[in-house]
Amino acid sequence: MELLRFEISTHRLLLKPISIAYKADIFREFTQEVTTYLYSEPSKKIQDTEIFINQSLLKMEKGEELVIVILNKDSQEFLGCSGIHKINSKYPRYGIWLKKSAYKQGYATETISTLNLWAAENLDYEYLRYGSDKANTASRRVAEKMGGKICREYDVINMSGKVLNLVEYKISKKQNSEFC
């Protein structure tokens, strides 16, 4: 599977592999506000963003994860990043973030539903995991629209030192699968 050649077009979006060409966009848009409910924290310098991109590309080359940029299909405007981590496992994990100006436009649901279809056709897994802070209702709705069912809840301290109250959803290929 050649992940570095991944590209999917939806009605409004273009999903393609992360690349160094988007380092300025990622650095500028991955803000403290955007990371409120995420494990990661914003990069303090653009070189850290570049390291993240290069590490993501290496993991994609090895077939370990898919990390993509989300673009407006017509304008090519950068909207955010998403991915599926641990793609060779029985329980891969979704990740997604959007820049603040892209909130509340359905881009997250469109991205995750597109990745969900791709994963069902290209990956061998039992179910996909989607984690969200309990308070992040918009993110939780994305998982629920995909048929996600809560399979566990736990707390974790993120890289900024904040406690996140995570709800992990299981998104199954099969509707009648057992919970995790």
Side-chain angles (χ1 to χ4, degrees), residues 89-92 116 119-120 123-128 171-173:
S89 75
K90 290 294 180 188
Y91 317 106
N116 204 41
L123 302 179
D124 179 25
Y125 62 95
E126 288 185 28
Y127 61 84
L128 288 150
I171 300 174
S172 299
K173 276 188 191 182

Side-chain angles (χ1 to χ4, degrees), residues 37 131-137 139-140 162-167:
Y37 296 119
S132 179
D133 188 276
K134 278 185 184 181
N136 190 349
T137 55
S139 181
R140 292 183 65 183
K162 178 184 173 190
V163 175
L164 298 177
N165 306 115
L166 294 182
V167 176

Side-chain angles (χ1 to χ4, degrees), residues 54-135:
N54 288 328
Q55 288 173 342
S56 297
L57 290 169
L58 184 60
K59 288 178 183 178
M60 287 174 64
E61 256 181 56
K62 292 179 179 179
E64 297 173 355
E65 62 182 42
L66 173 67
V67 181
I68 61 167
V69 292
I70 305 163
L71 306 173
N72 177 294
K73 184 174 160 181
D74 295 329
S75 69
Q76 301 295 295
E77 174 190 1
F78 174 85
L79 301 172
C81 290
S82 187
I84 305 175
H85 309 284
K86 299 183 180 183
I87 62 174
N88 292 325
S89 75
K90 290 294 180 188
Y91 317 106
R93 176 184 296 276
Y94 284 119
I96 188 165
W97 67 268
L98 297 172
K99 66 182 186 176
K100 181 148 175 51
S101 63
Y103 284 9
K104 298 182 181 182
Q105 297 181 51
Y107 296 138
T109 300
E110 191 170 335
T111 298
I112 296 298
S113 64
T114 301
L115 290 177
N116 204 41
L117 291 171
W118 177 86
E121 293 176 8
N122 293 282
L123 302 179
D124 179 25
Y125 62 95
E126 288 185 28
Y127 61 84
L128 288 150
R129 297 175 295 153
Y130 183 104
S132 179
D133 188 276
K134 278 185 184 181

Side-chain angles (χ1 to χ4, degrees), residues 35-39 93 130-144 150-156 158 162-169:
T35 62
T36 299
Y37 296 119
L38 301 179
Y39 181 77
R93 176 184 296 276
Y130 183 104
S132 179
D133 188 276
K134 278 185 184 181
N136 190 349
T137 55
S139 181
R140 292 183 65 183
R141 275 194 303 273
V142 171
E144 291 163 3
I150 296 172
C151 61
R152 75 180 185 135
E153 298 182 32
Y154 58 98
D155 292 343
V156 68
N158 71 8
K162 178 184 173 190
V163 175
L164 298 177
N165 306 115
L166 294 182
V167 176
E168 186 172 285
Y169 289 86

